[in-house]
Amino acid sequence: EHDGGEMVEAVLHIDGRTHTPMVEPRWTLLYVLRDCLGFTQTKASCERGECGACTVLIDGETRYACITLALEAVGTQITTLTGLMHGEQLGPVQQAFVEEDGFQCGHCTGGQIVSVEGLLRKTPDPTLEQIREGVSGVICRCGAYPHIFKAASRAAALKKGGR
């Protein structure tokens, strides 16, 4: 539902594929991902840039999709949780979260995984302090942080080919 604002085509490169939805300039990337394109693994929660559940990578940088306009993402590479998979197989960060029980209710998990991926792209062998800072933008209401930190360390090992 829109209020008759001018619609424009947005060419969005998401998880290696190009999508061209018609959007209003005021629409957020989160709204376009979830409601226009069906990328429901990107969670809507606070919608105010405070919780991190909607975290995506834009050109490898972690960003909150709820406070990023869809048109700001034109010409970038957007990576969602699904884009971290290898076909039907979990990517290393996702696998590490499973192995280390890095979630409880699961609501923040997508944002946590994408944040860890963003961290590991910059810092392949992070310290605990770097991990804590790297996921600090995503709030876990369950308090599963010790497991999230272990999962991030495990993901670093998996990405380096460790067992």
Side-chain angles (χ1 to χ4, degrees):
E1 178 94 15
H2 65 282
D3 63 5
E6 183 181 332
M7 303 287 279
V8 296
E9 184 179 73
V11 179
L12 300 173
H13 305 288
I14 306 164
D15 297 336
R17 298 182 69 188
T18 301
H19 301 266
T20 55
M22 294 300 288
V23 304
E24 283 188 34
R26 67 185 176 94
W27 287 355
T28 65
L29 180 58
L30 177 63
Y31 176 76
V32 172
L33 284 172
R34 287 184 59 82
D35 297 300
C36 301
L37 299 175
F39 285 88
T40 54
Q41 75 284 1
T42 303
K43 295 294 177 223
S45 190
C46 75
E47 298 195 47
R48 295 175 6 183
E50 294 178 356
C51 76
C54 68
T55 301
V56 296
L57 297 178
I58 297 181
D59 288 340
E61 299 285 329
T62 55
R63 294 275 296 271
Y64 294 154
C66 74
I67 58 170
T68 301
L69 294 175
L71 292 181
E72 289 180 88
V74 168
T76 68
Q77 294 298 321
I78 302 161
T79 306
T80 71
L81 182 65
T82 303
L84 301 180
M85 295 182 71
H86 302 297
E88 294 295 312
Q89 293 209 314
L90 296 177
V93 179
Q94 293 158 320
Q95 183 62 41
F97 268 71
V98 171
E99 289 178 18
E100 296 295 342
D101 220 9
F103 48 88
Q104 283 185 37
C105 83
H107 190 76
C108 74
T109 306
Q112 297 283 3
I113 290 171
V114 173
S115 291
V116 169
E117 176 70 26
L119 168 67
L120 295 179
R121 288 184 183 188
K122 283 195 186 96
T123 311
D125 195 16
T127 65
L128 176 58
E129 195 52 44
Q130 288 170 317
I131 290 168
R132 290 168 66 103
E133 186 176 326
V135 300
S136 65
V138 185
I139 295 172
C140 174
R141 292 182 190 169
C142 300
Y145 293 108
H147 290 274
I148 291 166
F149 301 157
K150 284 184 200 165
S153 291
R154 176 74 178 131
L158 288 174
K159 278 178 137 331
K160 290 187 288 199
R163 294 272 170 242

